[in-house]
Amino acid sequence: RNLALPRPIMPGKHSPEVLAKRKLRALEKGYILPAPEGGFRRVRIRKDVAARVRLVAISLTHQHDDILLAGSVSGSSATARAATRAVKTQVDIQHYRNKMKAHDAANLSKHEWNELFPRLQLSGPSCNSELPGSSS
């Protein structure tokens, strides 16, 4: 077969009209969801981390807005809290506090995982208990 020749295309298969009909049918049957409005997007994530990802996304949104408000990206806006601090004088104090709380919540959601590992009673020399197999 000569690869230089174009491959034949089935009539109507790739036309915009047929693709639009196919998409509408998929929407009606629930195979796909309509696109979110207002400049939003959906992110597919596992249920067990969804709440954490939401908090991080809120913090990132604030950081993005604060960098735009500052008019530049600098080393001082490399972290979300630093970006918000850089525009502190340009925003309402309550709005500033809410943003900082959002950054704190995002940081906790990224770094605090204690609920996955309940506190265990450790046994061993550091806990002044006997080693397994030793006699008292």
Side-chain angles (χ1 to χ4, degrees), residues 46-67:
R46 291 187 350 213
K47 285 171 45 173
D48 56 347
V49 294
R52 291 173 179 269
V53 171
R54 183 176 186 275
L55 293 172
V56 173
I58 290 168
S59 176
L60 282 172
T61 302
H62 289 316
Q63 182 178 6
H64 177 266
D65 294 345
D66 292 340
I67 289 171

Side-chain angles (χ1 to χ4, degrees), residues 94-114:
Q94 190 57 45
H95 191 57
Y96 169 80
R97 288 179 182 152
N98 290 341
K99 287 182 176 192
M100 294 302 271
K101 286 178 184 177
H103 299 321
D104 290 342
N107 286 335
L108 283 174
S109 73
K110 290 183 283 187
H111 303 292
E112 187 65 43
W113 294 91
N114 287 338

